[in-house]
Amino acid sequence: MPHERFQFTGVGGHQLAAALDTPDGPIEAYALFAHCFTCGKDVLAAKRIAVALAAKGIATLRFDFTGLGSSEGEFANSTFTSNVADLVRAADHLRETRKAPAILIGHSLGGAAILAAAGRIPEAKAVATIAAPSDPVHVTHFFKDRIEDIRAQGEGEVSLAGRPFRIKREFLDDVAEQNLMAQVKQLHKALLIMHSPTDDTVGIDNATHIFSAARHPKSFVSLAGADHLLSGKQDAAYVADVIGAWAERYVELAPQPAADTGTAPRNVVVQETRAGKFQQIVTAGPHRMLADEPVAVGGQDSGPGPYDFVLAGLGACTSMTMRMYADRKSLPLDRVTVTLTHSKIYAKDCEECETREGMLDQIDRVIRIEGELDADQRKRLMEIADKCPVHKTLTSEVRIVTKAAE
């Protein structure tokens, strides 16, 4: 995905480091992502979700809060309230330079911050939280043994995720004064709550409290098996898939180009996402999809593999060709199901093949025909299957011309 890095001015006057992941084609909507407490914009969950959303046409802005990552300022001087204000500043920056975010997404404490900021971003229509606490004060549980010292001394050093951070008394006072559930009750935006029932960092009861406080439209999706940080690649991809599909119902997406009704062939563009060793974004006209390899060979299994696409093309063409013939002949064909498998065989084992040495590619195609058809009709449909254009292409001489782009 195209990736743009820049800075914008936060509420404290510091320059905050931001990243915008955009689609390789038209942008349908903008989203704003808030990361977890003491994390950063480049934490794996944030990066994976942003890239996956970009593949669906949603440009996603993520940034480092004050004193984290590449942003200026001191973390110790930040509070929950200042983080919320910086989220509003980030939305302002998008509004001024691109378009205001229609989708707000927050992970962990970032989810609580997104809920608090949502009312100040009028263009936002859909809000999604991931493993969010129902009360920002929940974050103090991570250093509860240091709270008395911090209050007595005004500040203190705590260890969070194995790293030292300075926390001030002002931070404790600020989270204690928040009334997040009152803000949730007045949200007036579509809300999606995503939480793992086995989250041992922020318990599932937090999702229950948020859901109970919110008004409709509200939805809950269980992230069964996921950990708090969504460290599993498939968990982040699943979150992005759900958010993308859910948001379409509430967000007015940018108009897309009209479908190509001409007969001229259209380009298929394949480009590395750089989000994994093999992951690619495939663009065919207005359609976008991911290609990848299985985990066993070093991929993320985030999309079909190259041979999967070849088989899908042959299977789709087979079914379409049979459907066209059945409709033209008024045959009572209910449904066609094509199952395909690719393998390598020894040439000597293929009696009808011209090649006699080495290995050959073999595609096994099993066609299931449903409907009240007689034997002759079924036989004819099976004959028609071999006449599909992709079948003819794969079994004929194919010339591939390769040249370097200018």
Side-chain angles (χ1 to χ4, degrees), residues 320-331:
M320 291 175 184
T321 302
M322 295 172 71
R323 171 56 59 192
M324 291 174 62
Y325 178 82
D327 289 350
R328 188 167 65 249
K329 297 296 184 179
S330 299
L331 301 181

Side-chain angles (χ1 to χ4, degrees), residues 134-302:
S134 58
D135 188 339
V137 79
H138 181 280
V139 74
T140 62
H141 295 175
F142 300 128
F143 49 89
K144 58 185 179 181
D145 58 329
R146 298 283 291 130
I147 291 179
E148 289 187 9
D149 291 339
I150 294 172
R151 289 201 175 279
Q153 300 172 17
E155 64 179 83
E157 186 175 284
V158 302
S159 177
L160 298 170
R163 294 184 296 160
F165 290 92
R166 296 202 69 77
I167 301 292
K168 291 187 175 182
R169 183 192 299 122
E170 288 80 3
F171 179 89
L172 300 179
D173 293 339
D174 183 74
V175 292
E177 293 171 359
Q178 302 297 321
N179 188 358
L180 187 61
M181 290 303 95
Q183 293 173 289
V184 171
K185 291 178 181 178
Q186 301 300 319
L187 191 59
H188 300 302
K189 301 178 189 291
L191 176 62
L192 171 63
I193 303 164
M194 308 183 77
H195 213 116
S196 170
T198 54
D199 190 330
D200 56 5
T201 301
V202 178
I204 188 67
D205 56 309
N206 288 270
T208 302
H209 295 153
I210 296 172
F211 188 88
S212 299
R215 298 179 179 179
H216 287 289
K218 56 183 177 180
S219 306
F220 171 77
V221 172
S222 174
L223 301 178
D227 59 26
H228 181 71
L229 292 178
L230 299 182
S231 55
K233 295 178 180 178
Q234 292 184 339
D235 294 328
Y238 175 71
V239 165
D241 286 342
V242 172
I243 291 175
W246 167 81
E248 287 185 3
R249 189 173 185 87
Y250 306 103
V251 175
E252 184 177 348
L253 302 179
Q256 297 301 299
D260 183 6
T261 58
T263 57
R266 63 186 178 189
N267 291 336
V268 173
V269 180
V270 182
Q271 186 178 52
E272 288 183 306
T273 65
R274 292 181 291 184
K277 183 177 181 180
F278 297 116
Q279 191 184 75
Q280 313 284 320
I281 180 68
V282 182
T283 305
H287 309 293
R288 290 181 298 275
M289 62 211 87
L290 290 176
D292 207 340
E293 288 284 13
V295 174
V297 296
Q300 303 178 52
D301 203 19
S302 58

Side-chain angles (χ1 to χ4, degrees), residues 66-83:
T66 300
L68 295 174
S70 300
S71 287
E72 296 178 349
E74 295 291 333
F75 175 80
N77 294 328
S78 66
T79 63
F80 182 80
T81 296
S82 69
N83 287 342

Side-chain angles (χ1 to χ4, degrees), residues 314 317-323 325-326 328-329 331 333 336 365 367-369 373-389 391-392 395:
L314 175 59
C317 183
T318 299
S319 181
M320 291 175 184
T321 302
M322 295 172 71
R323 171 56 59 192
Y325 178 82
R328 188 167 65 249
K329 297 296 184 179
L331 301 181
L333 175 64
V336 175
R365 177 174 54 178
I367 303 174
R368 178 181 178 86
I369 302 173
L373 298 131
D374 60 36
D376 288 339
Q377 291 171 330
R378 290 176 178 272
K379 179 181 177 182
R380 182 55 181 157
L381 282 170
M382 290 297 291
E383 294 171 348
I384 290 297
D386 286 342
K387 298 183 182 299
C388 96
H391 180 114
K392 292 180 178 180
T395 55

